[in-house]
Amino acid sequence: MTGAVNLRRADTRRNNERILAAAAASLADTGELSFNAIAKTAGVGVGTVYRHFPTQGALVLAVYRHEVQQILDAVPILLQEKSPPEAFRTWTTDHLARYMMTKRGLADALRAATNADDEDVPGKAYEAMVGAVRTLLEANVEAGTVRPGLDPETVARGLGGLLFLDPRGDWRRQTEALVDLLWRGMRPGD
């Protein structure tokens, strides 16, 4: 019986991941959620979508939490694989910038979902992002590549400029220019 339960749990997790991916893509493309379209894209029945997420608000919040968690989870991996400066740049360009550009459609849906929810999901996500920036800064201070005493929230606010990137434009060059600007201000002795 345990094998059957584990297979069912694995299938449930896979379905959940596919639903979240389909919903994230739909929100990024159109800013809207259609449970029927999401079910079709995810390769599941619409009843499965409703079992996992009984309301659009629940689905929007789950997409948001999932995507924020992916960004946060990238930090320790990058710090293991790259030098602290490379980890900061890669996290900013390949994770944070991509997330911020593609979440414009999520913003309106998130506002509607959080208005019906007492939980401050965006506020908690912001605090978690500041924590990720803090971790990256601490690694760079230890490596001697940025000066000590930088306020992670100030750096996070500087990275807020990524919200204005155009995914159809030269966003990578613009992101690198923003990171270069911030980096010059964070270097030791500046």
Side-chain angles (χ1 to χ4, degrees), residues 174-190:
Q174 293 170 353
T175 301
E176 289 168 358
L178 176 64
V179 172
D180 286 343
L181 178 69
L182 286 172
W183 199 258
R184 281 193 294 274
M186 296 188 310
R187 286 189 311 217
D190 288 352

Side-chain angles (χ1 to χ4, degrees), residues 71 88-104 129 133 155-167 170-180 182:
I71 293 169
F88 182 86
R89 287 178 179 276
T90 301
W91 183 75
T92 302
T93 303
D94 293 347
H95 298 275
L96 188 61
R98 287 179 189 273
Y99 169 80
M100 292 174 90
M101 278 188 303
T102 60
K103 295 310 154 233
R104 290 191 180 120
M129 290 291 187
V133 169
V155 175
R157 285 187 188 122
L159 293 171
L162 298 172
L163 282 170
F164 302 101
L165 295 173
D166 180 0
D170 190 6
W171 65 268
R172 184 168 287 281
R173 185 192 59 72
Q174 293 170 353
T175 301
E176 289 168 358
L178 176 64
V179 172
D180 286 343
L182 286 172

Side-chain angles (χ1 to χ4, degrees), residues 3-83:
V5 171
N6 286 339
L7 287 175
R8 198 168 39 238
R9 286 184 185 153
D11 188 48
T12 298
R13 280 192 302 276
R14 279 191 302 276
N15 286 344
N16 193 61
E17 289 292 321
R18 289 196 307 257
I19 292 166
L20 289 172
S26 179
L27 286 166
D29 291 344
T30 66
E32 297 178 8
L33 289 176
S34 160
F35 276 34
N36 288 327
I38 288 167
K40 184 176 180 179
T41 301
V44 299
V46 72
T48 300
V49 177
Y50 279 105
R51 270 193 305 283
H52 285 263
F53 308 101
T55 65
Q56 282 192 352
L59 180 54
V60 168
L61 291 174
V63 167
Y64 184 73
R65 286 182 184 117
H66 181 260
E67 297 208 342
V68 167
Q69 192 60 52
Q70 286 181 317
I71 293 169
L72 300 175
D73 290 346
V75 171
I77 295 166
L78 290 170
L79 285 170
Q80 283 181 336
E81 296 174 351
K82 300 180 178 294
S83 71

